[in-house]
Amino acid sequence: MRFLRDNGVAEDRTTTVWQAIALHTSVGLADRFGAEHSVAFSGISLDINGLEKDRLPGSLVERINAAWPRHDLGYAIADLIGEGTKANPLKAPPLSFPAHIHEIVNGVPGVAFLDLVGWGDRPVTNTVPR
């Protein structure tokens, strides 16, 4: 946020940018915060996973990728997140996106929701794996 403040961006806009960044991996939340958050979420998601890329004109996609090559972004960003979480596992709290990447990239066993239930609860039915 220092970059924005140092470049004279108003505090309310800086807050919006911070929120959009913070929410960009939170499916279903960005839309509740406003148009900027929703557009940022959709754009970042499209850039990373390419879902619904067929809705964009092919010529636009070609021009964008010519100007800014992807460099295997999806895998590259996973590797970078994996490096960061390997160096500092606290960056990968249980059930988070970084924890999922940490599990995939670094081969660290994941933690399931039911692993965190510490009250001695037992499954209501036998259909819930433990």
Side-chain angles (χ1 to χ4, degrees), residues 55-88:
R55 297 178 71 187
L56 298 172
S59 60
L60 174 63
V61 173
E62 290 170 12
R63 288 194 324 267
I64 290 170
N65 287 330
W68 297 284
R70 291 192 50 76
H71 301 293
D72 300 315
L73 176 62
Y75 285 88
I77 200 165
D79 285 343
L80 289 171
I81 293 169
E83 286 177 21
T85 59
K86 188 173 186 176
N88 182 359

Short mmCIF file of all heavy atoms in Angstrom, two decimals, residues 55-88:
data_model
loop_
_atom_site.label_atom_id
_atom_site.label_comp_id
_atom_site.label_asym_id
_atom_site.label_seq_id
_atom_site.Cartn_x
_atom_site.Cartn_y
_atom_site.Cartn_z
N ARG A 55 -15.06 -16.37 -23.84
CA ARG A 55 -15.97 -15.23 -23.94
C ARG A 55 -15.26 -13.98 -24.47
O ARG A 55 -15.91 -13.00 -24.82
CB ARG A 55 -16.61 -14.96 -22.58
CG ARG A 55 -17.48 -16.14 -22.11
CD ARG A 55 -18.06 -15.90 -20.77
NE ARG A 55 -19.11 -14.86 -20.90
CZ ARG A 55 -19.73 -14.33 -19.86
NH1 ARG A 55 -19.42 -14.71 -18.63
NH2 ARG A 55 -20.65 -13.41 -20.03
N LEU A 56 -13.93 -14.03 -24.50
CA LEU A 56 -13.16 -12.90 -25.01
C LEU A 56 -12.90 -13.08 -26.50
O LEU A 56 -12.68 -14.20 -26.95
CB LEU A 56 -11.81 -12.81 -24.28
CG LEU A 56 -11.86 -12.59 -22.78
CD1 LEU A 56 -10.46 -12.72 -22.19
CD2 LEU A 56 -12.46 -11.23 -22.46
N PRO A 57 -12.89 -11.98 -27.25
CA PRO A 57 -12.55 -12.11 -28.68
C PRO A 57 -11.12 -12.64 -28.83
O PRO A 57 -10.21 -12.19 -28.15
CB PRO A 57 -12.64 -10.67 -29.20
CG PRO A 57 -13.38 -9.90 -28.16
CD PRO A 57 -13.20 -10.61 -26.86
N GLY A 58 -10.95 -13.61 -29.73
CA GLY A 58 -9.63 -14.21 -29.95
C GLY A 58 -8.56 -13.20 -30.28
O GLY A 58 -7.42 -13.31 -29.83
N SER A 59 -8.92 -12.18 -31.05
CA SER A 59 -7.92 -11.17 -31.42
C SER A 59 -7.45 -10.40 -30.18
O SER A 59 -6.27 -10.03 -30.10
CB SER A 59 -8.48 -10.21 -32.46
OG SER A 59 -9.63 -9.54 -31.96
N LEU A 60 -8.34 -10.17 -29.24
CA LEU A 60 -7.96 -9.48 -28.01
C LEU A 60 -6.98 -10.34 -27.21
O LEU A 60 -5.95 -9.85 -26.74
CB LEU A 60 -9.20 -9.17 -27.16
CG LEU A 60 -8.92 -8.56 -25.78
CD1 LEU A 60 -8.24 -7.21 -25.91
CD2 LEU A 60 -10.21 -8.47 -24.99
N VAL A 61 -7.29 -11.61 -27.07
CA VAL A 61 -6.42 -12.52 -26.34
C VAL A 61 -5.05 -12.58 -26.98
O VAL A 61 -4.02 -12.51 -26.30
CB VAL A 61 -7.06 -13.93 -26.25
CG1 VAL A 61 -6.09 -14.94 -25.64
CG2 VAL A 61 -8.36 -13.89 -25.47
N GLU A 62 -5.01 -12.68 -28.30
CA GLU A 62 -3.72 -12.72 -29.01
C GLU A 62 -2.92 -11.45 -28.79
O GLU A 62 -1.70 -11.51 -28.55
CB GLU A 62 -3.96 -12.95 -30.50
CG GLU A 62 -4.47 -14.33 -30.83
CD GLU A 62 -4.92 -14.46 -32.28
OE1 GLU A 62 -4.64 -13.55 -33.10
OE2 GLU A 62 -5.56 -15.47 -32.60
N ARG A 63 -3.58 -10.29 -28.86
CA ARG A 63 -2.87 -9.01 -28.66
C ARG A 63 -2.35 -8.91 -27.22
O ARG A 63 -1.21 -8.45 -27.01
CB ARG A 63 -3.79 -7.84 -28.99
CG ARG A 63 -4.05 -7.67 -30.47
CD ARG A 63 -4.67 -6.34 -30.85
NE ARG A 63 -5.62 -5.77 -29.93
CZ ARG A 63 -6.96 -5.95 -29.98
NH1 ARG A 63 -7.49 -6.70 -30.92
NH2 ARG A 63 -7.75 -5.38 -29.10
N ILE A 64 -3.15 -9.31 -26.28
CA ILE A 64 -2.73 -9.24 -24.87
C ILE A 64 -1.54 -10.16 -24.64
O ILE A 64 -0.54 -9.76 -24.04
CB ILE A 64 -3.89 -9.58 -23.93
CG1 ILE A 64 -4.94 -8.46 -23.95
CG2 ILE A 64 -3.39 -9.82 -22.50
CD1 ILE A 64 -6.24 -8.80 -23.25
N ASN A 65 -1.64 -11.40 -25.11
CA ASN A 65 -0.55 -12.36 -24.89
C ASN A 65 0.71 -12.00 -25.67
O ASN A 65 1.82 -12.34 -25.25
CB ASN A 65 -1.01 -13.78 -25.21
CG ASN A 65 -1.96 -14.31 -24.15
OD1 ASN A 65 -1.88 -13.94 -22.99
ND2 ASN A 65 -2.87 -15.17 -24.55
N ALA A 66 0.56 -11.30 -26.78
CA ALA A 66 1.74 -10.82 -27.51
C ALA A 66 2.43 -9.72 -26.73
O ALA A 66 3.67 -9.66 -26.66
CB ALA A 66 1.33 -10.33 -28.90
N ALA A 67 1.64 -8.83 -26.13
CA ALA A 67 2.22 -7.72 -25.36
C ALA A 67 2.75 -8.18 -24.00
O ALA A 67 3.77 -7.69 -23.53
CB ALA A 67 1.17 -6.62 -25.17
N TRP A 68 2.02 -9.10 -23.37
CA TRP A 68 2.39 -9.59 -22.04
C TRP A 68 2.32 -11.11 -22.04
O TRP A 68 1.30 -11.70 -21.64
CB TRP A 68 1.46 -9.03 -20.97
CG TRP A 68 1.53 -7.56 -20.85
CD1 TRP A 68 2.52 -6.83 -20.27
CD2 TRP A 68 0.56 -6.61 -21.32
NE1 TRP A 68 2.24 -5.49 -20.36
CE2 TRP A 68 1.03 -5.33 -21.01
CE3 TRP A 68 -0.66 -6.72 -22.00
CZ2 TRP A 68 0.34 -4.18 -21.33
CZ3 TRP A 68 -1.35 -5.57 -22.31
CH2 TRP A 68 -0.85 -4.31 -21.98
N PRO A 69 3.40 -11.78 -22.46
CA PRO A 69 3.39 -13.25 -22.50
C PRO A 69 3.09 -13.84 -21.12
O PRO A 69 3.48 -13.27 -20.09
CB PRO A 69 4.81 -13.60 -22.94
CG PRO A 69 5.33 -12.37 -23.60
CD PRO A 69 4.65 -11.22 -22.91
N ARG A 70 2.41 -14.96 -21.12
CA ARG A 70 1.97 -15.58 -19.87
C ARG A 70 3.12 -16.22 -19.07
O ARG A 70 3.07 -16.29 -17.86
CB ARG A 70 0.90 -16.63 -20.15
CG ARG A 70 -0.39 -16.01 -20.62
CD ARG A 70 -1.52 -17.01 -20.63
NE ARG A 70 -1.66 -17.74 -19.40
CZ ARG A 70 -2.19 -17.27 -18.28
NH1 ARG A 70 -2.64 -16.04 -18.24
NH2 ARG A 70 -2.27 -18.01 -17.21
N HIS A 71 4.14 -16.71 -19.75
CA HIS A 71 5.25 -17.38 -19.06
C HIS A 71 4.74 -18.46 -18.12
O HIS A 71 5.22 -18.58 -16.98
CB HIS A 71 6.13 -16.37 -18.31
CG HIS A 71 6.74 -15.32 -19.18
ND1 HIS A 71 7.69 -15.60 -20.14
CD2 HIS A 71 6.49 -13.98 -19.26
CE1 HIS A 71 8.02 -14.48 -20.76
NE2 HIS A 71 7.31 -13.49 -20.26
N ASP A 72 3.74 -19.22 -18.58
CA ASP A 72 3.17 -20.32 -17.78
C ASP A 72 2.74 -19.84 -16.39
O ASP A 72 3.03 -20.47 -15.37
CB ASP A 72 4.16 -21.49 -17.67
CG ASP A 72 4.52 -22.05 -19.04
OD1 ASP A 72 3.60 -22.25 -19.86
OD2 ASP A 72 5.71 -22.28 -19.29
N LEU A 73 2.03 -18.73 -16.38
CA LEU A 73 1.67 -18.04 -15.14
C LEU A 73 1.05 -18.94 -14.08
O LEU A 73 1.43 -18.87 -12.91
CB LEU A 73 0.72 -16.88 -15.44
CG LEU A 73 0.19 -16.12 -14.23
CD1 LEU A 73 1.32 -15.47 -13.47
CD2 LEU A 73 -0.83 -15.10 -14.65
N GLY A 74 0.09 -19.78 -14.46
CA GLY A 74 -0.58 -20.62 -13.46
C GLY A 74 0.39 -21.48 -12.67
O GLY A 74 0.33 -21.55 -11.44
N TYR A 75 1.31 -22.12 -13.39
CA TYR A 75 2.30 -22.96 -12.73
C TYR A 75 3.38 -22.12 -12.05
O TYR A 75 3.86 -22.46 -10.96
CB TYR A 75 2.92 -23.94 -13.73
CG TYR A 75 1.98 -25.07 -14.07
CD1 TYR A 75 1.06 -24.93 -15.11
CD2 TYR A 75 1.98 -26.25 -13.35
CE1 TYR A 75 0.18 -25.96 -15.43
CE2 TYR A 75 1.11 -27.28 -13.65
CZ TYR A 75 0.21 -27.13 -14.69
OH TYR A 75 -0.66 -28.14 -14.99
N ALA A 76 3.78 -21.04 -12.70
CA ALA A 76 4.83 -20.20 -12.13
C ALA A 76 4.40 -19.60 -10.79
O ALA A 76 5.18 -19.58 -9.84
CB ALA A 76 5.20 -19.09 -13.11
N ILE A 77 3.15 -19.14 -10.72
CA ILE A 77 2.68 -18.54 -9.47
C ILE A 77 2.53 -19.60 -8.39
O ILE A 77 2.82 -19.35 -7.21
CB ILE A 77 1.40 -17.71 -9.68
CG1 ILE A 77 1.23 -16.73 -8.53
CG2 ILE A 77 0.17 -18.59 -9.84
CD1 ILE A 77 0.22 -15.64 -8.81
N ALA A 78 2.12 -20.81 -8.77
CA ALA A 78 2.03 -21.90 -7.80
C ALA A 78 3.41 -22.21 -7.23
O ALA A 78 3.56 -22.42 -6.02
CB ALA A 78 1.41 -23.14 -8.43
N ASP A 79 4.42 -22.24 -8.11
CA ASP A 79 5.79 -22.49 -7.64
C ASP A 79 6.27 -21.40 -6.68
O ASP A 79 6.90 -21.69 -5.67
CB ASP A 79 6.76 -22.61 -8.81
CG ASP A 79 6.64 -23.92 -9.55
OD1 ASP A 79 6.04 -24.89 -9.00
OD2 ASP A 79 7.11 -24.00 -10.70
N LEU A 80 5.97 -20.15 -7.01
CA LEU A 80 6.37 -19.04 -6.13
C LEU A 80 5.68 -19.11 -4.78
O LEU A 80 6.30 -18.89 -3.73
CB LEU A 80 6.09 -17.70 -6.81
CG LEU A 80 7.01 -17.36 -7.98
CD1 LEU A 80 6.49 -16.12 -8.72
CD2 LEU A 80 8.44 -17.16 -7.51
N ILE A 81 4.39 -19.41 -4.80
CA ILE A 81 3.66 -19.54 -3.54
C ILE A 81 4.24 -20.72 -2.75
O ILE A 81 4.44 -20.63 -1.54
CB ILE A 81 2.14 -19.72 -3.78
CG1 ILE A 81 1.56 -18.43 -4.36
CG2 ILE A 81 1.42 -20.10 -2.49
CD1 ILE A 81 0.14 -18.58 -4.90
N GLY A 82 4.53 -21.82 -3.45
CA GLY A 82 5.13 -22.98 -2.81
C GLY A 82 6.47 -22.67 -2.17
O GLY A 82 6.76 -23.12 -1.06
N GLU A 83 7.30 -21.89 -2.87
CA GLU A 83 8.59 -21.48 -2.30
C GLU A 83 8.38 -20.67 -1.02
O GLU A 83 9.07 -20.87 -0.03
CB GLU A 83 9.39 -20.65 -3.30
CG GLU A 83 9.98 -21.42 -4.44
CD GLU A 83 10.68 -20.52 -5.45
OE1 GLU A 83 11.07 -19.39 -5.10
OE2 GLU A 83 10.84 -20.96 -6.61
N GLY A 84 7.43 -19.74 -1.08
CA GLY A 84 7.16 -18.89 0.09
C GLY A 84 6.63 -19.68 1.27
O GLY A 84 7.02 -19.43 2.41
N THR A 85 5.76 -20.65 1.00
CA THR A 85 5.20 -21.43 2.11
C THR A 85 6.19 -22.45 2.65
O THR A 85 6.14 -22.80 3.82
CB THR A 85 3.89 -22.12 1.69
OG1 THR A 85 4.14 -22.97 0.58
CG2 THR A 85 2.81 -21.11 1.35
N LYS A 86 7.10 -22.90 1.79
CA LYS A 86 8.14 -23.82 2.26
C LYS A 86 9.10 -23.08 3.19
O LYS A 86 9.50 -23.60 4.23
CB LYS A 86 8.91 -24.41 1.09
CG LYS A 86 9.86 -25.52 1.47
CD LYS A 86 10.46 -26.16 0.24
CE LYS A 86 11.30 -27.36 0.61
NZ LYS A 86 11.81 -28.05 -0.58
N ALA A 87 9.44 -21.85 2.82
CA ALA A 87 10.33 -21.04 3.64
C ALA A 87 9.65 -20.61 4.95
O ALA A 87 10.31 -20.48 5.97
CB ALA A 87 10.79 -19.81 2.86
N ASN A 88 8.33 -20.41 4.88
CA ASN A 88 7.60 -19.97 6.07
C ASN A 88 6.21 -20.61 6.06
O ASN A 88 5.26 -20.03 5.54
CB ASN A 88 7.49 -18.45 6.10
CG ASN A 88 6.77 -17.95 7.34
OD1 ASN A 88 6.34 -18.72 8.18
ND2 ASN A 88 6.65 -16.64 7.44
#
